Each structure stands twice: as C-alpha cells, then as structure tokens.
Amino acid sequence: MFGSIVLEAAIGMIVCFGSVALIASSLQEAMASVFRLRARTLLNGVNQLLNGHGLVLDIYNHALVNPRSNGCATSIAGLSLKLAPSYIVPLNFARAMVDSLQKGQVAFADLRPVLESISDPQIRTCLCSMYDRAAGSVALFEAEIARWFDSAMERISGAYKRHAQFWAFVLALLVAILFNIDASQVLTHLWKMSATGVFHLPAVGSGPDAHDALSYLEQLPIGWSDAPPMAAVLYMIPGWLITASSSLFGAPFWFGLLGKVTNLRGAGDKPTSP
C-alpha cells in the first residue's frame, strides 16, 4: 500500500512537471517563431564569425544561403529576417563565400591576392591559411570553410539553447504563478489524493501536446481560490521556483520518465516466495 501511494504521488509530480515544461516550451517556441529568434541568432553568429566584414552581406544575398530573398539587400540592417534562413548547410555557406570572393571575375587559382586584400587581419589570415592547405583544390578549400563554419555554429547553437532555456524557465515561472503550481503543496495534496484513490492518471500512449498537458493539470490541486495573505505568498515562492526549474529538464525527459515509472507501477509487487 505504502509503495503504491509513493508511486502514485511520484507519477503525479512527474505529470505536473512535464505538463509545465511542455506548456513553457510551447510558449517559448511560439515566441521564437514570432520574433524569428533562430534566424536572428544565426545572422548574428555569421556576423561574429566574419567580424562584421562585408562578406556577410554578400553571403546572405547569395541564393545558396538565402534563396527566398531577392539578393538586393544593401546592408545587414536591410536584410529581411522574415525571409532570412534559420539554418544554413555548411557546404552551401562555403560555396557562397567562394562565389562572393570570386565575384564571377577571379579564377580560383588567382584568388590569393583577393584574400590578402581583406581588411580584417583575423579573417585574412584564416582564409589564406585554408587556401594554402587546399593546394589549388576548390573542393578542399570549400570543405575547410564548411568545417570552420560548422565548428562556429556549434557554439552559436549552444548559446541559443542556453537562451531558450532561460526563457523557458521564465515562462514556466509565470505559468507556476498564474496557476499557483506550488510543488510542495502539490506533493502534499497528491499524497492525500493517492491514499484515497481520487487522483486519476493520464494514459501513456503517444506524446502529449499542450492541450493534453492542460487537461492533466486540471486534475492537480492547483489554481487560486481567494487572494492569500502576503506571508502565505512568501512561502509559495520556493515551490514556484521548484516547479519552474523542472522545465529546464524539458518535457521529453519528464514524459519519458513517466512511461518508465508507470511500467514500474504496472509490474506490481514482487511475489513472495512460498
């Protein structure tokens, strides 16, 4: 009986945390889509990679990188983020850069003077070194640039994920406050509900969506009835923070854990030996 109550309460908390994480991540993705955060982050990353050199504009005007644009932007500020890509294939970036350097006028074998004329010393040294290692092979030169770009984008991707996690936490905290999802209070009530058989667990099947998450939360002891005194609100803050922190693990983690714990509960107690 005791083990059953513990599992029921644990599954209830997992449902609660997973639902909050799913709602927060859905809101964060919606924000990223509306404000074109991925495209904005990628553009900033390419701009940082090339130290703000004019090659950035040439590359973004290239059809291999930005096929939806008309290729007529005259400044970085003039680029349309609505049309800007959220992802660039590294080899396409490399080919667009080589085309931008050649400008349809310089043969690849005669490209070194063009590279030496680049004003930024870091970019000049980097590209000249890759050109020398390519030993006259445009394919090797493009591969070198593609690896350089891919390595830089891994760091940009990590920065974006940290930024996304921060906003997911902020949104999860807002959800926790708006719905009064105090982790400590939820656990206390779930323990009592599990003991009396009141709590009904959601079925574990295909991955739930935000609508399912809200329906699960309706079963939990959350929400506001009357305005609490300020002293009571202060006691709720740690519970809200715990609830919001659960979003950092992500909804897939919680619902994956839900499946494992549900299977554990379904296996029942180990039979005693005769």
Side-chain angles (χ1 to χ4, degrees):
M1 178 65 178
F2 178 77
S4 176
I5 295 175
V6 171
L7 283 176
E8 295 286 345
I11 293 173
M13 292 303 297
I14 293 172
V15 170
C16 176
F17 289 156
S19 299
V20 172
L22 181 59
I23 294 169
S25 63
S26 298
L27 292 173
Q28 190 276 326
E29 284 297 322
M31 287 177 54
S33 178
V34 170
F35 295 106
R36 300 287 296 164
L37 295 182
R38 285 188 176 85
R40 193 184 303 272
T41 301
L42 179 60
L43 176 57
N44 290 337
V46 173
N47 199 37
Q48 292 172 8
L49 174 66
L50 297 177
N51 295 341
H53 192 272
L55 278 172
V56 176
L57 184 61
D58 293 335
I59 290 171
Y60 262 79
N61 276 331
H62 199 287
L64 280 175
V65 168
N66 196 3
R68 298 177 62 195
S69 74
N70 56 14
C72 297
T74 57
S75 66
I76 297 296
L79 287 170
S80 173
L81 287 175
K82 184 178 180 180
L83 302 178
S86 299
Y87 175 77
I88 300 175
V89 177
L91 187 57
N92 286 350
F93 175 87
R95 289 172 175 171
M97 174 176 281
V98 173
D99 288 347
S100 299
L101 290 168
Q102 292 180 291
K103 296 185 181 299
Q105 300 174 357
V106 180
F108 181 76
D110 302 325
L111 193 60
R112 185 174 179 85
V114 176
L115 300 179
E116 292 176 347
S117 66
I118 295 176
S119 58
D120 187 280
Q122 185 183 44
I123 303 302
R124 180 176 63 245
T125 301
C126 179
L127 291 178
C128 284
S129 298
M130 289 190 286
Y131 182 80
D132 292 339
R133 285 194 295 271
S137 171
V138 64
L140 290 179
F141 185 54
E142 290 173 349
E144 288 270 355
I145 295 175
R147 283 193 292 270
W148 174 48
F149 173 78
D150 199 33
S151 175
M153 289 306 104
E154 286 182 2
R155 294 190 292 272
I156 297 299
S157 177
Y160 176 82
K161 288 179 180 178
R162 290 191 296 272
H163 187 263
Q165 278 191 323
F166 168 77
W167 281 109
F169 172 80
V170 171
L171 292 169
L173 182 59
L174 290 176
V175 170
I177 295 173
L178 290 174
F179 290 94
N180 189 24
I181 309 176
D182 180 346
S184 60
Q185 290 296 323
V186 170
L187 179 59
T188 301
H189 284 280
L190 276 176
W191 187 275
K192 296 177 182 178
M193 293 168 70
S194 299
T196 57
V198 174
F199 182 60
H200 302 288
L201 294 170
V204 179
S206 58
D209 55 21
H211 180 269
D212 296 325
L214 286 172
S215 66
Y216 297 164
L217 288 178
E218 289 176 355
Q219 299 184 55
L220 300 176
I222 63 176
W224 297 97
S225 53
D226 299 318
M230 183 57 65
V233 172
L234 293 177
Y235 282 107
M236 295 176 183
I237 292 176
W240 292 338
L241 290 173
I242 292 173
T243 301
S245 298
S246 68
S247 67
L248 299 177
F249 293 94
F253 168 82
W254 290 112
F255 286 108
L257 184 61
L258 174 63
K260 294 178 181 179
V261 176
T262 303
N263 291 335
L264 176 64
R265 185 190 65 153
D269 297 330
K270 182 180 179 180
T272 57
S273 301

